[in-house]
Amino acid sequence: MVAIVTLSACGNVHCSESCAQLGGKPTPRPPVATTPTAGFDVVITDTDRAVTVKSGQRIELVLHAKPGMSDWSGVNVDDYTVLRAVPTGIMAARGVTIAGYEAARPGTATIRATATPNCSPGAACPAFAMIFEVQVTVV
């Protein structure tokens, strides 16, 4: 029974070491960004919930898809007068969502994104979504 549950977890998502030993094929996870790419001053990842930046700084948002979930999508800001979208020029790896912003003026804005379960075509799919949210304060 444990083997069946473990094997069923091996799909198109990251597979644990024990899953790989049972015949699953692990997919490599992209490295987690810890420093901003050239041209950006601050990096925000899916572990951040609140960030403070200075007016004029450029922000790089890097979100990694969770196992069994779609890539993050619908990335938006609730106040584009505080954070202005800017092109990143960065090619994202599969499972990674990247967006760029410039801190335009002092204030607070929230960046949001959503992800939904990865389901096979024609299969029943749970009706829920994950929401990423980070509050950015510009001083």
Side-chain angles (χ1 to χ4, degrees):
M1 182 71 164
V2 172
I4 293 170
V5 172
T6 304
L7 285 174
S8 68
C10 299
N12 294 333
V13 296
H14 178 74
C15 187
S16 68
E17 186 176 319
S18 61
C19 178
Q21 291 172 350
L22 293 171
K25 293 182 181 178
T27 56
R29 289 187 188 247
V32 176
T34 55
T35 59
T37 303
F40 289 90
D41 305 300
V42 177
V43 65
I44 295 175
T45 67
D46 41 2
T47 60
D48 294 311
R49 296 296 170 252
V51 177
T52 300
V53 298
K54 294 178 183 175
S55 188
Q57 285 189 310
R58 291 171 55 101
I59 301 163
E60 177 184 12
L61 176 70
V62 180
L63 302 176
H64 292 84
K66 304 294 183 208
M69 301 297 287
S70 67
D71 291 354
W72 291 101
S73 64
V75 179
N76 64 54
V77 175
D78 67 352
D79 189 343
Y80 282 100
T81 66
V82 174
L83 292 179
R84 179 177 51 227
V86 296
T88 64
I90 301 167
M91 234 2 196
R94 184 176 180 194
V96 179
T97 301
I98 298 177
Y101 300 95
E102 183 175 348
R105 68 168 182 84
T108 302
T110 302
I111 302 172
R112 291 185 181 91
T114 58
T116 56
N118 280 334
C119 299
S120 299
C125 196
F128 71 89
M130 290 178 61
I131 298 174
F132 167 78
E133 191 171 275
V134 62
Q135 183 176 13
V136 181
T137 302
V138 179
V139 293

